[in-house]
Amino acid sequence: MKESILNKATELFLEQGFKSVTMDDLAMEMGISKKTIYSHYQNKTALVEESTAHLLSSISCGIDTIRGLKKNPIEELYEIKKFVMLHLKGEKSSPQYQLQKYYPEIHGVMRHRQYEMMEDCVLENIKRGIDQGIYRENLNIDFVARIYFSGVTSIKDLKLFPVSKFPIGKLMDEYLEYHLRGIVTPDGRKILNNIINSNQE
């Protein structure tokens, strides 16, 4: 039952936001009593904490699977972006914004874990891209990896990038293109242009 509660809560948090979903909503959605939920989770904060850890773990496993396919590094980044967007349900309710505003401590922990997970992935991606001749040889790898992480988190700031002007799917595509155009070689640019053109068809 605990796992069912966690899965349903995570789904609702992503669809409606961490603040918007109440324990009453969750109980009603599952057709169980609030007492049953509280027998597994002391309070909503505990549920939010476990939900974010569960989500990060699922995304991490999915990214590892994609990395295991050993696609070329440019394709790999697009596959990861597609997977994450699907997993986060397009972030319709801007769950990260609500998490940061109403559960700052949990958001801080999640951001730190996210960075650790992403740093390894991006560093390895850049090194492989350089080895394959599709990323420039003279890149400061640590700088590029940190700038990439910083950008990915910054574009989720709704004050800077309101959804009305910057739909999240398009924004992620534009950011990824912006990042890659700064680091690719002419050979890499051909691969990037092919991916962008095939995505527009």
Side-chain angles (χ1 to χ4, degrees), residues 62-71 76:
I63 289 174
D64 285 345
T65 301
I66 292 168
R67 288 172 69 188
L69 299 173
K70 295 293 179 195
K71 293 182 173 237
E76 181 179 89

Side-chain angles (χ1 to χ4, degrees), residues 107-119:
H107 178 265
V109 170
M110 187 179 177
R111 188 180 159 95
H112 179 69
R113 284 186 189 151
Q114 219 177 354
Y115 175 70
E116 286 180 335
M117 177 182 89
M118 218 164 153
E119 184 185 35

Side-chain angles (χ1 to χ4, degrees), residues 12-99:
L12 291 176
F13 288 148
L14 285 176
E15 285 175 355
Q16 298 171 34
F18 287 97
K19 169 71 173 166
S20 307
V21 178
T22 66
M23 296 300 239
D24 282 315
D25 294 332
L26 180 57
M28 192 182 299
E29 185 76 25
M30 293 190 72
I32 58 175
S33 68
K34 270 204 299 184
K35 192 176 175 185
T36 303
I37 298 172
Y38 285 119
S39 70
H40 295 286
Y41 295 96
Q42 187 180 359
N43 50 40
K44 185 180 169 185
T45 303
L47 183 55
V48 168
E49 192 169 9
E50 197 159 331
S51 176
T52 55
H54 171 65
L55 186 59
L56 208 56
S57 172
S58 300
I59 289 173
S60 180
C61 287
I63 289 174
D64 285 345
T65 301
I66 292 168
R67 288 172 69 188
L69 299 173
K70 295 293 179 195
K71 293 182 173 237
N72 82 60
I74 297 173
E75 278 184 288
E76 181 179 89
L77 286 183
Y78 273 94
E79 285 300 316
I80 288 172
K81 183 222 66 154
K82 205 184 297 177
F83 168 78
V84 171
M85 289 299 293
L86 195 66
H87 224 72
L88 295 180
K89 301 182 185 299
E91 299 193 292
K92 287 175 285 200
S93 63
S94 305
Q96 187 151 318
Y97 176 75
Q98 287 198 10
L99 191 67

